[in-house]
């Protein structure tokens, strides 16, 4: 039971991060009605729980990441930190600045992301609600854990969202193969990415930043894109961007060409 719960929480968290926060809030790769948007917003909070990430702050950080990928202005490039912990602590500082509205981003990174003050501020930024979520995770393990070793999984539930971000941002710009030449150091870490449901196709994504399918080659598989296809077939969302990742790249690329996205292309 505990292992099934951990796996389910892992996959659902990364799905909502990829589907709602990344491909919708940051890039607007699809559109949907206001009720569906609210439902996905609420579902993201319920799934991520104590590690919920604000769509506004996530979108701004991600747009900055594309604009300044692997430069000193990148909010989470692994090439400026000795280890992943230091990188994510800096990322948290930048995230908090936008989530708590202590700073304003460049105008080009603003807008186009869903905002719901009840969830994003009242609930997500309440220490009491954070403790409620932590208590629920602990209660589940107390009720269903069959071995003391299973409690080692418990802390992962508390910070599941940032863990996914750390894996993608660190590994996706350090390890793996490259399909496309780009000015950054993005890589595809896994050819079949079930670990982060397509998010580790970073090289493909940075070359085709508005493609809803992060896979480019025939043997690559992006699970989140398959979920989007089902939602579109059901009429819940409408794919908004015509761009698709293609290998080999049919478009000419100039040396040093940036992989850029801002609020106008998101």
């Amino acid at each position: 039971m505990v292992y099934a719960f951990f796996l389910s929480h892992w996959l659902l968290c990364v799905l909502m991060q990829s589907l709602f926060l990344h491909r919708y809030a940051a890039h607007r790769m699809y559109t949907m009605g206001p009720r569906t948007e609210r439902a996905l917003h609420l579902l993201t909070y319920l799934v991520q729980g104590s590690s919920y990430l604000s769509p506004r702050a996530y979108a701004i950080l991600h747009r900055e990441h594309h604009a300044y990928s692997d430069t000193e202005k990148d909010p989470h490039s692994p090439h400026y930190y000795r280890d992943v912990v230091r990188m994510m602590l800096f990322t948290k500082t930048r995230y908090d600045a936008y989530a708590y509205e202590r700073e304003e981003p460049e105008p080009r990174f603003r807008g186009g992301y869903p905002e719901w003050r009840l969830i994003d501020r009242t609930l997500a930024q309440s220490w009491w609600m954070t403790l409620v979520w932590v208590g629920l995770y602990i209660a589940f393990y107390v009720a269903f854990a069959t071995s003391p070793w299973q409690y080692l999984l418990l802390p992962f539930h508390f910070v599941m969202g940032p863990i996914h971000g750390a894996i993608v941002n660190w590994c996706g710009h350090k390890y793996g193969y490259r399909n496309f030449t780009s000015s950054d150091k993005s890589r595809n870490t896994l050819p079949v990415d079930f670990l982060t449901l397509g998010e580790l196709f970073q090289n493909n994504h940075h070359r085709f930043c508005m493609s809803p399918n992060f896979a480019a080659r025939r043997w690559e598989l992006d699970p989140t894109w398959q979920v989007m296809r089902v939602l579109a077939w059901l009429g819940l969302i409408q794919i908004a961007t015509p761009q698709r990742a293609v290998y080999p790249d049919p478009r000419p690329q100039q040396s040093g060409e940036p992989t850029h996205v801002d609020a106008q292309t998101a």
Side-chain angles (χ1 to χ4, degrees):
M1 180 68 76
V2 164
Y3 297 126
F5 176 64
F6 180 84
L7 180 61
S8 298
H9 192 204
W10 178 280
L11 292 176
L12 286 172
C13 275
V14 76
L15 174 63
M16 299 315 298
Q17 186 162 320
S18 181
L19 176 69
F20 187 68
L21 298 178
H22 189 180
R23 307 189 200 205
Y24 182 71
H27 288 285
R28 288 286 177 159
M29 293 176 177
Y30 59 93
T31 61
M32 55 185 162
R35 291 184 179 178
T36 305
E37 181 186 281
R38 281 295 173 108
L40 288 182
H41 202 148
L42 177 60
L43 183 60
T44 301
Y45 173 68
L46 294 176
V47 165
Q48 291 190 327
S50 60
S51 66
Y52 173 76
L53 298 173
S54 156
R56 177 183 187 274
Y58 182 98
I60 292 170
L61 278 185
H62 188 70
R63 292 167 186 175
E64 289 181 344
H65 169 63
H66 273 274
Y68 303 118
S69 184
D70 290 322
T71 69
E72 291 183 356
K73 290 186 176 182
D74 189 335
H76 43 63
S77 171
H79 298 282
Y80 290 87
Y81 303 93
R82 286 192 298 173
D83 54 65
V84 66
V85 174
R86 287 182 173 86
M87 181 190 76
M88 293 311 295
L89 287 175
F90 177 78
T91 302
K92 183 181 186 304
T93 300
R94 302 304 307 140
Y95 170 86
D96 286 348
Y98 296 134
Y100 291 88
E101 299 183 19
R102 297 168 184 160
E103 296 181 23
E104 283 297 320
E106 295 177 46
R108 59 175 171 156
F109 300 135
R110 299 175 188 167
Y113 34 73
E115 296 185 83
W116 190 351
R117 192 172 185 85
L118 173 63
I119 290 180
D120 300 339
R121 298 296 297 270
T122 305
L123 297 179
Q125 295 180 11
S126 165
W127 277 105
W128 287 108
M129 284 306 303
T130 299
L131 292 175
V132 167
W133 282 111
V134 169
L136 289 173
Y137 301 143
I138 293 174
F140 184 91
Y141 273 70
V142 170
F144 295 105
T146 56
S147 168
W149 294 105
Q150 292 177 344
Y151 283 90
L152 295 176
L153 296 173
L154 189 54
F156 289 91
H157 294 281
F158 305 158
V159 289
M160 190 73 80
I163 288 174
H164 291 149
I167 292 172
V168 170
N169 296 325
W170 186 267
C171 298
H173 283 251
K174 284 184 73 74
Y175 312 119
Y177 63 97
R178 290 167 61 86
N179 286 332
F180 308 105
T181 300
S182 63
S183 58
D184 61 22
K185 299 180 181 180
S186 57
R187 294 180 175 274
N188 300 321
T189 306
L190 300 171
V192 181
D193 180 19
F194 288 116
L195 179 64
T196 60
L197 300 186
E199 291 294 304
L200 280 171
F201 290 121
Q202 284 290 296
N203 180 240
N204 296 350
H205 176 53
H206 276 258
R207 183 56 182 145
F208 294 90
C209 65
M210 288 302 293
S211 172
N213 183 4
F214 288 7
R217 306 186 75 165
R218 294 181 63 182
W219 39 266
E220 294 173 343
L221 179 64
D222 174 7
T224 299
W225 167 239
Q226 308 308 318
V227 173
M228 291 175 65
R229 293 177 64 189
V230 172
L231 294 177
W233 180 77
L234 292 173
L236 296 175
I237 67 172
Q238 298 78 43
I239 306 301
T241 170
Q243 187 184 82
R244 296 293 185 274
V246 179
Y247 180 86
D249 191 348
R251 306 174 303 174
Q253 182 176 6
Q254 301 299 320
S255 177
E257 177 184 334
T259 53
H260 173 68
V261 64
D262 58 27
Q264 283 66 50
T265 59

